[in-house]
Amino acid sequence: MPEIIEFPTTRVAYVTEIGPYDRAMPRGFDRLFAWLRENNVQPTGSSIAIFYDAFDKVPAEQQRCDTCAPVDALVPASGNVRTKELSAKEAASTVYQGRDSREQAYTDIYRWIAAQGYRATDAPFEVYLSQLGQELRAQVVVPIEK
């Protein structure tokens, strides 16, 4: 069941990728985690993917996403990896488990947002709760306002 949360301000290192999300996201995380290893940077929290384009409205080849890892404030950007601050925001949130549950989670959360009298204000993102090699478990976060 979706709920309203306060997403905290989070500084991230990130890579922007363009293309179908199912290929762009793994490619972005591969590049990001290679950079983290090369630069001896330890993430300070769970990985995040931000999805800027609606998959049903933007051609797959043009879809944009940022793959992110929370990092300490002193970590500098370099090469293709940049840093930014994700601002604190009120958001609707739900958790799904297993790739087959993902689409339904998005359908449910957007219906719930509308039913509660809210509207989405920014790109949705996912916070990954599972570890590499485990069944996918993620928190869908959609920034909202009344």
Side-chain angles (χ1 to χ4, degrees), residues 25-54:
M25 196 171 59
R27 187 174 59 236
F29 278 124
D30 285 348
R31 290 178 41 202
L32 177 62
F33 282 100
W35 181 89
L36 291 168
R37 282 189 303 276
E38 290 167 10
N39 290 279
N40 295 318
V41 174
Q42 183 66 38
T44 59
S46 298
S47 301
I48 300 168
I50 305 169
F51 304 101
Y52 293 106
D53 300 301

Side-chain angles (χ1 to χ4, degrees), residues 2-20:
E3 64 180 351
I4 295 175
I5 64 165
E6 281 296 323
F7 184 80
T9 300
T10 305
R11 187 159 188 282
V12 297
Y14 71 100
V15 172
T16 300
E17 289 288 341
I18 299 173

Side-chain angles (χ1 to χ4, degrees), residues 84-100:
K84 65 180 172 183
E85 193 168 273
L86 305 179
S87 61
K89 55 192 84 189
E90 183 176 42
S93 170
T94 193
V95 174
Y96 72 89
Q97 186 154 340
R99 293 194 189 285
D100 295 341

